[in-house]
Amino acid sequence: MSRLPERRVGRGGRRLGHARADRQQLSRPEVGHVGNESGPALRSTRAQWAWLPGLAAAGCLVAAVVVGGHPVAGPVVAGVSVVLVVVLVVVQGAGLFGRRGRPPSGAPSGAALAVCLVAAIWMLRGAGVALEAVGVAGATSVALWPIPLVGAVGLYVLASRVRALGLVDDWFRRGTMNRSGLWLTAAIVPVSALALVVWSWAVGEDGSGHDSYRQLLADQGPVVVVLGALAFSFVNAAAEECAYNGVAQRAFGRDMRGVVAVVLAAVMFGASHWYGFPSGWWGVFLAAGYGLVLSALRHVSHGLLLPWVAHVLADLTIVAVLLMIW
C-alpha cells in the first residue's frame, strides 16, 4: 500500500520534470533560431553587394586604359586605384562580404592592374625622355603601345608575389588546342580581318593619328618593317590577352557571374582601342565585340593559347592594312 503513493509521486515528478524540460526547450530554440538566422542572413546580404568592389575596380582599369597617360587624369586614376586596393585588402582581411570558404575577392587585383598600367606608362615616358636627353634618338618610342601594357603585366606579376595583398595569381593557363577551339579560331581570323578592312574603307582611314608608328617604319627598310610587324603582333596579342582575358577576367570572375566578368573584360579591351586601330566609338564597339569572341574562345580552349593565335593573326591584318594606307 505504501508503494502506490510513491509510484504516483514518482510519476508526477517525472511528468513535472518533463514539463519543465519541454518549456525550456521551447524557449531555447526561439533564441537560437534568431541567432542562427541572423548569421546567414547577414552573410547573404554582404554577398549580394560583393560585386560592387569589382565594378569599381573595373572602372579604375578602364580609366587607366583610356586616360592613364593624361598628365592630370592619369595620376588621379592611380591614386584612386591605390586607395581602392588598400581599402579592399583591409575589408577582405576583416572577413567582410561573406567570403568564408571561398577564394579572396578579385577586386583588389583589378585595381592593382590599373595602378600598374599608369605606373608603367609614366615610367616608360620618363625613361624615354631621360634617354633622349643623353643622346639616344627615338628613345621616346619605348612608351608606344603595347609596351606600357607589357610593363603593367610585369609589375602586376611582381605585386602578386606579396601574399598580404591577396592578388589573383592563377590567371595564366595555356589551355588545349582542341577541335572546337581550332574551328572557332579558323572562323574568327577571316571575319575579324574582313571587319577591319571594311571599317578602314568605310571611315576613310588614312593613317592619321599614327604618326609615331609611321615615322618609325618610314626610317627603316622592308626587313625591319616585317620583323617589327611580327614582333608587334606577338607582343601586343600576348600583353592584351594576359591583361584582359587573363588577369581581369579571372579576377572579376571571383565576385561576379562568369558572363558579367567576360563582358567587363571585353569592355576594357574595347576601351583600349579608343586611340588604337580601329579607333573612336566604332573602334571601341568593334574591339569589344572581338573581345567577347576571344573570351568565348578562351572558355572553349580552356586557356590563352588559341586566343593569342587568333589575336596575332588579327594584328598582322591590322599591320597589313596600315601599310597599305600609309
Side-chain angles (χ1 to χ4, degrees), residues 225-240:
V225 169
V226 172
L227 293 177
L230 291 173
F232 170 83
S233 301
F234 290 171
V235 174
N236 181 69
E240 291 185 340

Side-chain angles (χ1 to χ4, degrees), residues 234-252:
F234 290 171
V235 174
N236 181 69
E240 291 185 340
E241 290 303 317
C242 287
Y244 304 127
N245 273 339
V247 176
Q249 191 176 143
R250 184 70 173 169
F252 298 137

Side-chain angles (χ1 to χ4, degrees), residues 9 30 34 39 69 86 130 147 150 162 166 178 204 226 228 300 302:
V9 171
E30 290 180 358
V34 173
V86 173
I147 300 177
V150 174
V162 182
N178 52 43
V226 172
V300 170
H302 309 292

